[in-house]
Amino acid sequence: MAYSTPGIVPVDEFAPGTSILVAGPPLTRKRELMIRLLGDDAADEGSIMVTTKMGAGKLLELFREWNGDRPADRLHVVDCVTKERGIGTVRETETTAYLSSSRDLTGLSIELSGLFQRYHRSGDPMRFGVHSLSTFLMYHNLPRVYRMMHVLSGQIESVDGLGVFVVDSPTDRELEMLSQLIDGVIETRETDTGCEFRLRGLGGRAAGWQAY
């Protein structure tokens, strides 16, 4: 089953197993692009979001604001930031997990492996997003983040999912290495009139920068 993206980017649908990198400067609405790409009206679809910059509660609010409601058991968040901030209390649920920080790649791997296995067993379509790889690059060197992304993109392919990875202002080396693991890039930028994006390697109908 292909993944539809009506009205979000100039691609009607993405093939199962596709992974996308959303790259650009801060404040160019990359999180919004990711969240919109993770939403769909299909009743059997699920979404998994890894967040390193925004707490799970706010992220879920934005998901529902931009995509509408989804059954609670179809929307999972792995929060890598709230515990590290140490403000307030956290309460894990069946669909929200909290890691100590973005340093804990082992805990992240364990949590996500369980979720991917669930979708693999059910055969249900699944969309997966990470915001943002840049936080992992703060704590870990590029080869380790590359290995993590290699595993995740392989898991996405194994479950015939759709993956969306966000990175802020990657260096040339970061973009070159990370691009080896994905099928295409959505680049973003800010202009005097707002934000724009363009697609590379994703079969978009229109070339060049487009307002978003």
Side-chain angles (χ1 to χ4, degrees):
M1 175 198 136
Y3 292 88
S4 63
T5 59
I8 304 169
V9 294
V11 177
D12 291 332
E13 57 186 23
F14 293 112
T18 297
S19 286
I20 302 164
L21 187 68
V22 181
L27 305 178
T28 53
R29 299 169 61 191
K30 297 185 300 300
R31 181 189 287 112
E32 180 178 347
L33 267 176
M34 181 199 80
I35 292 176
R36 289 189 182 276
L37 287 169
L38 297 187
D40 190 80
D41 293 332
D44 61 338
E45 276 197 12
S47 295
I48 301 171
M49 296 185 287
V50 176
T51 177
T52 67
K53 292 188 174 184
M54 175 181 287
K58 181 59 177 177
L59 190 67
L60 288 167
E61 286 181 14
L62 290 177
F63 186 98
R64 295 187 171 104
E65 176 184 342
W66 290 329
N67 296 318
D69 286 332
R70 172 168 291 186
D73 63 343
R74 293 281 174 175
L75 185 55
H76 293 82
V77 178
V78 181
D79 183 326
C80 302
V81 61
T82 300
K83 277 190 174 181
E84 185 175 34
R85 289 174 178 168
I87 300 175
T89 59
V90 298
R91 182 175 62 87
E92 295 212 356
T93 69
E94 292 185 0
T95 55
T96 304
Y98 295 88
L99 301 185
S100 59
S101 78
S102 298
R103 297 181 180 88
D104 186 10
L105 291 187
T106 300
L108 179 64
S109 176
I110 293 170
E111 188 67 36
L112 292 179
S113 291
L115 291 173
F116 277 112
Q117 287 172 9
R118 188 181 308 175
Y119 280 100
H120 181 72
R121 289 193 299 267
S122 70
D124 292 338
M126 180 272 293
R127 303 186 188 216
F128 173 83
V130 176
H131 189 286
S132 154
L133 293 173
S134 299
T135 308
F136 293 116
L137 288 166
M138 286 173 52
Y139 295 121
H140 310 282
N141 59 34
L142 179 57
R144 188 168 186 194
V145 175
Y146 176 91
R147 290 194 296 271
M148 176 193 75
M149 193 169 166
H150 182 268
V151 171
L152 291 175
S153 61
Q155 290 173 320
I156 290 164
E157 185 175 2
S158 295
V159 301
D160 288 332
L162 172 67
V164 184
F165 299 85
V166 175
V167 61
D168 296 321
S169 301
T171 65
D172 290 343
R173 182 166 179 261
E174 288 170 350
L175 186 58
E176 180 183 3
M177 284 192 67
L178 297 177
S179 294
Q180 297 174 26
L181 303 172
I182 47 87
D183 300 289
V185 179
I186 300 176
E187 297 177 302
T188 63
R189 71 178 184 182
E190 187 176 20
T191 69
D192 292 338
T193 57
C195 296
E196 296 181 336
F197 70 81
R198 67 179 177 183
L199 280 63
R200 291 198 288 115
L202 293 169
R205 291 190 302 270
W209 292 96
Q210 303 174 60
Y212 173 61

